[in-house]
């Protein structure tokens, strides 16, 4: 506590400030013009600790980059006596007393300057010395606290070096607002990266949002600013007040904040990370041994703000705890393995669905506290459901309280708009070539896996990261050093991200939302790939929906829309997504996309989901699909749960229950998902009848899947089979309990020794209208 760490002076000499108007939050208008410190030389001589008049003036003029040099306790010699000088600072204080540990009486500090600087020399005192300060104010109130300027830095030289190198993978344990006990004193260590700032102060509830009270210590060339503030509690609101080189003040939320006030407030909040007691140890232990490529994966994609609301209470959101106890049983009903959440990181605008993040380290306060969100994940895990987070490292919004122009410079973003701005989205692009920015994102990814036990990260808008010319016209982008359009810095970042996630947290996974032909997205980095575990198959999704939206009479001309995906099926590890993006912006609901009358629409939808579940690849459905929501998704209201009571919608529910159960039970559908051995065409050439058939192969048997994409039932249709004998009909999308017509095969068919479709055996099959039937053969 006694020895002060040397601090490197910022490049620019401090000057008298011109305060800019504050936007959020408005600090108190108490920033008086300081009285010139005429007695500085006398004080320096009397207390003998080498502080210059310029240093005092910097403090008084709010440009001080090293307040610990003046304030706190220092060795000094005065009038031939050795001892300790203690200076205290509060611009509104009229008197200050000091209470020294093991001393009975308080002593009053001398007022060294009218603007709130006080000091005292204590002869013969030695370190360590423990004390508190009591400030008295003109209104008669007082405030007692330990001295923030009596503590060593709470970040080490190693922390600073790792951060600068971009390798501080757990930077969230040091930056931001850390609740710690420092030398027996409870409080919060604040740390922020702002290398171009002239001065940074922490402002909050504890100092009446007054940036003069708690200037932070510059940690030199690292660009870090640090201050331990005693007595700050969980739930306290705060921000950073940053004085820029052009002498304007910026009021910034903490990039590493663990919690935020509910919008429209933009205050960061101190959060206690050690409250929740996890009960998912067994699940987490199994997680380390998972092999997702050869496991079933059926994902239920959810927007928490619109899944379900409470109309009896002003249409309020469910909180994280309420969501857990309702959402988990619902997901289990349909045999989903994972719940994927649209971004839950803090964001100010509901209409962004969470994709314009301002608080990367904070679960949104809309639904509760970070502790409540931990309960949500814990509850999912205790019931065998994994949790995937939608993560957004591709861009961030221009809100002035957040990352944009953080310290008065383009710190997190590129200064050049050709690299630093998404004009389509009105957002900014991270500077992936800057070590500290990469560190911010890498640490953030690990933070969710570490603190919240998240199973996997779905990385949004990867395509926009990979290409410098993404959604740009000629002249609006700059080629890379090789003259190409690849964003080499972003590619290097994504590879590092995946390497770090898989190395630090075995059993966790990453999923790329990537829609281009970029090769090796889900291949290991050691093989030249990006290293993602999975990639969304956007091509399959687009082609499949394009086919199903056609009137059945025209489908015979477009069968290639369905077969093309199998040409590239095994180039990546695919997830088949029918996501939120397919039911917004005028695209209509999944049900509304289907052609025909009501019966045909529901039959087509059952056929579509059957086709997806039987096709190689992991599955993803957006909420509302399970009961065939009739209207397009609206982020601002609940799903239309009342529709589930309608018989046809109820049929979709039962259909998806059956598909989920069969998918989980039958290894043929997933054990060889990413190996060609797991799929074999029987026939896709009957264009006129629009019938297709294929085999899903497993180690203990196989399943013959037959699809009829027209409303004409095909009775006694011969289909080739890999084996002869009895085949069990395990699924029929036309079952009456699903709302179908009941055309089927009475539970089984017999394959005869009649070659057909290139197979040695075949069977006569009744194929229902707009229907799918699955036949299982065990033992082969």
């Amino acid at each position: 506590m006694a020895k002060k760490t040397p601090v490197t002076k910022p490049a620019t000499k401090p000057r008298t400030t011109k305060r800019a108007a504050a936007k959020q939050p408005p600090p108190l208008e108490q920033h008086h013009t300081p009285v010139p410190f005429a007695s500085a030389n006398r004080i320096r001589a009397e207390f003998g600790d080498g502080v210059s008049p310029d240093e005092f003036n910097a403090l008084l003029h709010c440009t001080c980059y090293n307040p610990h040099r003046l304030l706190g306790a220092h060795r000094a010699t005065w009038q031939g006596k050795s001892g300790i000088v203690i200076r205290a600072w509060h611009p509104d204080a009229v008197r200050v007393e000091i209470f020294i540990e093991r001393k009975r009486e308080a002593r009053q500090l001398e007022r060294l300057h009218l603007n709130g600087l006080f000091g005292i020399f204590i002869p013969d005192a030695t370190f360590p010395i423990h004390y508190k300060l009591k400030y008295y104010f003109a209104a008669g109130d007082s405030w007692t606290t330990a001295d923030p300027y009596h503590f060593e830095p709470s970040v080490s030289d190693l922390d600073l070096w790792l951060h600068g190198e971009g390798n501080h993978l757990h930077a969230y344990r040091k930056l931001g607002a850390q609740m710690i006990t420092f030398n027996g004193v409870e409080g919060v260590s604040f740390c922020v990266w702002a290398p171009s700032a002239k001065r940074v102060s922490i402002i909050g509830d504890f100092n009446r949002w007054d940036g003069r009270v708690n200037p932070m210590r510059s940690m030199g060339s690292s660009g870090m600013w640090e201050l331990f503030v005693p007595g700050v509690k969980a739930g306290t609101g705060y921000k950073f007040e940053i004085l820029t080189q052009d002498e304007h003040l910026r009021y910034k939320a903490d990039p590493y904040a663990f919690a935020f006030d509910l919008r429209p407030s933009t205050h960061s909040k101190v959060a206690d990370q050690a409250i929740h007691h996890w009960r998912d140890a067994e699940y987490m232990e199994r997680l380390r041994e998972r092999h997702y490529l050869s496991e079933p994966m059926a994902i239920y994609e959810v927007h928490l703000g619109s899944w379900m609301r409470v109309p009896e209470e002003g249409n309020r959101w469910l909180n994280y705890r309420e969501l857990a106890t309702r959402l988990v049983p619902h997901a289990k009903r349909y045999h989903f393995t994972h719940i994927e959440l649209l971004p839950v990181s803090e964001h100010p605008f509901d209409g962004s669905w969470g994709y314009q993040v301002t608080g990367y380290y904070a679960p949104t306060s809309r639904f509760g506290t970070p502790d409540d969100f931990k309960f949500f994940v814990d509850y999912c895990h205790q019931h065998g459901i994994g949790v995937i987070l939608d993560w957004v490292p591709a861009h961030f919004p221009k809100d002035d309280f957040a990352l944009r122009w953080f310290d008065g410079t383009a710190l997190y973003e590129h200064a050049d708009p050709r690299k630093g701005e998404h004009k389509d989205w009105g957002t900014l692009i991270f500077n992936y070539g800057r070590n500290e920015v990469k560190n911010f994102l890498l640490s953030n990814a690990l933070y969710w896996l570490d603190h919240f036990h998240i199973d996997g990260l779905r990385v949004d808008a990867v395509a926009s990261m990979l290409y410098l010319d993404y959604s740009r016209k000629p002249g609006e982008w700059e080629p890379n050093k090789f003259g190409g359009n690849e964003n080499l810095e972003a590619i290097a970042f994504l590879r590092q991200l995946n390497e770090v996630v898989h190395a630090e947290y075995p059993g966790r996974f990453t999923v790329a939302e990537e829609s281009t032909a970029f090769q090796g997205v889900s291949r290991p980095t050691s093989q030249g790939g990006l290293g993602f575990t999975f990639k969304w198959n956007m091509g399959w999704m687009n082609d499949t929906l394009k086919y199903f939206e056609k009137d059945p009479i025209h489908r015979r001309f477009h069968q290639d829309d369905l077969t093309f995906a199998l040409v590239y099926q095994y180039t990546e590890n695919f997830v088949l997504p029918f996501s939120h993006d397919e039911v917004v912006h005028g695209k209509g609901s999944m049900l509304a996309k289907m052609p025909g009358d009501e019966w045909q629409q529901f039959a087509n939808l059952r056929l579509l989901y059957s086709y997806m579940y039987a096709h190689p690849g992991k599955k993803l459905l957006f909420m509302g699909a399970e009961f065939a929501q009739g209207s397009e998704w609206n982020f601002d209201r609940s799903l239309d749960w009342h529709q589930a009571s309608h018989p046809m919608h109820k049929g979709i529910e039962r259909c998806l229950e059956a598909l989920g159960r069969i998918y989980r039970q039958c290894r043929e559908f997933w054990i060889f998902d990413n190996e060609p051995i797991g799929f074999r065409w029987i026939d896709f050439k009957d264009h006129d009848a629009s019938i297709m058939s294929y085999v899903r192969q497993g180690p203990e048997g196989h399943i013959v899947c037959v699809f009829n994409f027209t409303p004409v039932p095909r009775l006694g249709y011969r289909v080739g089979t890999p084996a002869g004998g009895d085949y069990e009909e395990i699924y029929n999308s036309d079952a009456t309990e699903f709302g179908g017509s009941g055309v089927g095969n009475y539970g089984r068919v017999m394959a005869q020794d009649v070659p057909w479709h290139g197979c040695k055996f075949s069977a006569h099959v009744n194929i229902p209208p707009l229907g799918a039937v699955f036949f299982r053969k065990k033992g082969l």
Side-chain angles (χ1 to χ4, degrees):
M1 289 169 65
K3 185 179 179 182
K4 300 296 178 180
T5 302
V7 178
T8 304
K9 182 178 180 180
T12 302
K13 182 179 179 180
R15 300 188 298 272
T16 304
T17 66
K18 303 173 185 175
R19 288 187 68 86
K23 289 188 177 180
Q24 176 64 265
L28 298 178
E29 295 298 330
Q30 300 174 353
H31 301 272
H32 317 295
T33 302
V35 178
F37 200 179
S39 58
N41 289 325
R42 180 182 66 80
I43 298 299
R44 183 184 62 172
E46 288 177 346
F47 286 161
D49 61 344
V51 179
S52 71
D54 285 345
E55 290 175 295
F56 282 115
N57 283 323
L59 176 68
L60 297 170
H61 288 81
C62 299
T63 59
C64 183
Y65 64 88
N66 185 15
H68 295 71
R69 172 77 176 90
L70 292 79
L71 305 176
H74 301 262
R75 290 188 179 91
T77 301
W78 186 38
Q79 296 180 349
K81 293 184 179 181
S82 297
I84 292 176
V85 59
I86 296 174
R87 296 189 189 89
W89 160 257
H90 195 297
D92 296 324
V94 296
R95 180 163 60 92
V96 180
E97 292 180 345
I98 186 170
F99 297 84
I100 301 175
E101 191 176 79
R102 293 190 295 273
K103 300 289 185 180
R104 292 185 178 181
E105 296 181 355
R107 299 180 63 180
Q108 184 167 321
L109 276 65
E110 177 186 353
R111 186 159 194 164
L112 306 178
H113 193 275
L114 293 178
N115 276 51
L117 183 64
F118 300 81
I120 188 172
F121 178 77
I122 306 172
D124 300 324
T126 59
F127 288 105
I129 184 170
H130 303 281
Y131 63 91
K132 288 188 176 182
L133 298 170
K134 187 172 184 178
Y135 297 89
Y136 293 86
F137 303 98
D141 54 332
S142 63
W143 174 42
T144 302
T145 180
D147 186 358
Y149 300 97
H150 188 43
F151 294 87
E152 298 272 349
S154 55
V155 289
S156 68
D157 290 341
L158 178 60
D159 292 318
L160 302 179
W161 181 78
L162 288 172
H163 185 261
E165 291 292 307
N167 293 319
H168 203 320
L169 299 181
H170 302 283
Y172 54 85
R173 297 175 183 171
K174 288 294 183 178
L175 277 78
Q178 305 289 334
M179 295 188 66
I180 61 173
T181 300
F182 202 163
N183 293 331
V185 178
E186 293 182 352
V188 172
S189 167
F190 294 98
C191 185
V192 66
W193 178 57
S196 293
K198 289 179 65 176
R199 187 259 302 165
V200 179
S201 294
I202 185 70
I203 57 176
D205 298 337
F206 48 88
N207 61 18
R208 301 176 66 196
W209 300 91
D210 188 340
R212 302 170 299 167
V213 176
N214 290 128
M216 302 176 74
R217 163 173 38 201
S218 167
M219 300 302 290
S221 61
S222 69
M224 294 285 199
W225 298 77
E226 177 273 347
L227 184 67
F228 174 72
V229 182
V232 176
K233 305 294 184 183
T236 300
Y238 71 98
K239 276 190 174 182
F240 295 110
E241 181 183 274
I242 298 176
L243 178 66
T244 66
Q245 291 295 332
D246 60 1
E247 300 182 349
H248 287 87
L249 290 175
R250 300 181 69 79
Y251 299 94
K252 290 292 188 177
D254 183 358
Y256 283 84
F258 298 139
F260 279 82
D261 274 346
L262 179 63
R263 55 95 176 106
S265 171
T266 58
H267 297 170
S268 305
K269 291 178 68 174
V270 175
D272 189 345
Q273 295 281 45
I275 298 176
H276 184 77
H277 299 290
W278 290 92
R279 296 174 175 84
D280 64 348
E282 184 178 343
Y283 180 94
M284 297 300 291
E285 185 61 32
R286 292 197 308 268
L287 194 62
R288 296 178 59 86
E289 308 300 325
R290 298 290 293 272
H291 300 284
Y292 293 104
L293 298 185
S294 56
E295 293 183 11
M297 181 177 284
I299 303 166
Y300 186 50
E301 189 188 30
V302 175
H303 177 260
L304 293 179
S306 58
W307 181 71
M308 185 179 291
R309 293 197 176 186
V310 186
E312 302 85 3
E313 300 178 24
N315 201 36
R316 71 166 177 86
W317 300 303
L318 296 175
N319 62 45
Y320 289 121
R321 294 174 185 264
E322 292 170 327
L323 283 160
T325 57
R326 299 189 192 192
L327 187 51
V328 167
H330 184 77
K332 289 180 70 68
R333 173 185 173 184
Y334 296 98
H335 305 277
F336 288 110
T337 60
H338 293 78
I339 293 171
E340 180 173 315
L341 303 178
L342 268 66
V344 299
S345 299
E346 193 58 84
H347 52 282
F349 178 44
D350 294 357
S352 76
W353 315 336
Y355 286 97
Q356 295 196 8
V357 180
T358 52
Y360 273 81
Y361 286 80
T364 177
S365 57
R366 289 166 174 81
F367 316 118
T369 67
D371 203 52
D372 294 330
F373 184 60
K374 289 177 182 178
F375 175 90
F376 175 89
V377 178
D378 202 354
Y379 193 88
C380 289
H381 285 175
Q382 291 176 55
H383 291 82
I385 300 291
V387 179
I388 304 170
L389 281 194
D390 211 331
W391 187 58
V392 192
H395 60 116
F396 61 92
K398 295 179 179 179
D399 298 73
D400 201 52
F401 71 87
L403 297 179
R404 174 183 174 268
W405 218 248
F406 188 79
D407 62 355
T409 67
L411 188 62
Y412 285 88
E413 68 270 34
H414 279 281
D416 186 342
R418 293 177 298 175
K419 290 184 176 181
E421 184 175 1
H422 272 304
K423 292 188 177 180
D424 287 355
W425 301 336
T427 55
L428 301 174
I429 301 170
F430 284 103
N431 184 350
Y432 305 107
R434 192 163 195 170
N435 285 343
E436 296 89 348
V437 175
K438 285 194 301 182
N439 208 136
F440 172 77
L441 292 170
L442 290 172
S443 178
N444 183 242
L446 298 189
Y447 169 74
W448 293 103
L449 305 181
D450 178 10
H451 274 252
F452 294 95
H453 293 197
I454 298 301
D455 296 64
L457 300 172
R458 180 265 195 187
V459 182
D460 180 61
V462 171
S464 75
M465 300 173 66
L466 295 177
Y467 298 103
L468 295 167
D469 60 347
Y470 181 87
S471 193
R472 296 179 187 273
K473 298 175 183 178
E476 294 181 347
W477 62 282
E478 184 180 30
N480 63 34
K481 62 182 179 181
F482 301 113
N485 66 342
E486 298 87 0
N487 189 331
L488 303 179
E489 295 170 343
I491 290 170
F493 162 74
L494 290 171
R495 285 174 171 156
Q496 185 179 6
L497 164 72
N498 287 305
E499 289 172 351
V500 165
V501 166
H502 295 141
E504 293 284 320
Y505 294 94
R508 314 298 178 90
F509 60 90
T510 56
V511 185
E513 187 219 7
E514 204 284 318
S515 55
T516 74
F518 193 95
Q519 295 185 358
V521 172
S522 59
R523 291 294 177 258
T525 57
S526 60
Q527 299 175 15
L530 293 181
F532 285 94
T533 317
F534 297 105
K535 171 182 172 174
W536 273 22
N537 195 338
M538 309 293 280
W540 174 89
M541 178 272 297
N542 284 314
D543 289 345
T544 301
L545 288 181
K546 182 171 66 173
Y547 179 86
F548 270 84
E549 288 171 357
K550 290 180 170 62
D551 189 292
I553 198 170
H554 301 301
R555 287 176 178 172
R556 58 181 175 156
F557 303 112
H558 302 279
Q559 205 129 308
D560 291 349
D561 287 343
L562 295 185
T563 59
F564 180 65
L566 272 303
V567 174
Y568 59 85
Q569 172 62 39
Y570 301 104
T571 62
E572 301 279 3
N573 305 324
F574 283 122
V575 173
L576 310 179
F578 289 137
S579 74
H580 64 280
D581 279 327
E582 311 321 314
V583 292
V584 290
H585 301 321
K587 297 179 184 177
S589 68
M590 294 297 287
L591 179 63
K593 296 178 193 294
M594 301 297 105
D597 58 24
E598 183 187 56
W599 189 93
Q600 289 191 12
Q601 283 187 303
F602 279 92
N604 267 304
L605 194 58
R606 295 193 302 269
L607 176 59
L608 173 64
Y609 294 152
S610 303
Y611 183 73
M612 179 187 76
Y613 268 89
H615 196 282
K618 310 310 180 186
K619 325 300 176 188
L620 182 143
L621 287 174
F622 184 55
M623 64 184 198
E626 68 272 30
F627 63 86
Q629 163 129 338
S631 61
E632 194 174 81
W633 172 54
N634 184 339
F635 73 91
D636 206 25
R637 64 179 179 86
S638 171
L639 294 177
D640 297 327
W641 291 104
H642 62 278
Q643 292 182 344
S645 61
H646 186 281
M648 295 301 287
H649 293 270
K650 183 69 70 177
I652 293 290
E653 286 188 323
R654 294 173 180 146
C655 176
L656 276 172
E657 284 184 57
L659 280 171
R661 181 180 64 254
I662 292 168
Y663 173 70
R664 296 284 295 272
Q665 291 175 348
C666 299
R667 300 176 71 196
E668 295 91 334
F669 284 127
W670 42 263
I671 190 71
F672 298 130
D673 239 350
N674 296 281
E675 301 177 49
I677 191 178
F679 177 92
R680 180 163 84 253
W681 282 112
I682 295 176
D683 181 60
F684 57 82
K685 298 179 180 179
D686 192 351
H687 296 260
D688 288 338
S690 295
I691 290 178
M692 294 172 55
S693 54
Y694 52 72
V695 174
R696 295 305 310 276
Q697 182 68 50
E700 298 93 9
H702 61 266
I703 297 173
V704 173
C705 306
V706 187
F707 305 91
N708 178 7
F709 297 105
T710 74
V712 180
R714 307 293 179 177
L715 306 180
Y717 188 94
R718 186 173 288 276
V719 177
T721 61
D726 190 47
Y727 277 79
E728 179 188 2
E729 185 181 48
I730 60 171
Y731 173 79
N732 185 334
S733 70
D734 195 49
T736 55
E737 60 264 37
F738 301 159
S741 60
V743 174
N745 299 273
Y746 303 101
R748 63 190 62 253
V749 296
M750 181 66 66
Q752 302 167 332
D753 191 5
V754 177
W756 204 260
H757 290 150
C759 301
K760 294 182 179 180
F761 307 91
S762 62
H764 283 111
V765 176
N766 293 330
I767 314 175
L770 296 172
V773 282
F774 302 160
F775 303 98
R776 193 180 194 191
K777 181 75 171 181
K778 292 185 177 181
L780 293 173

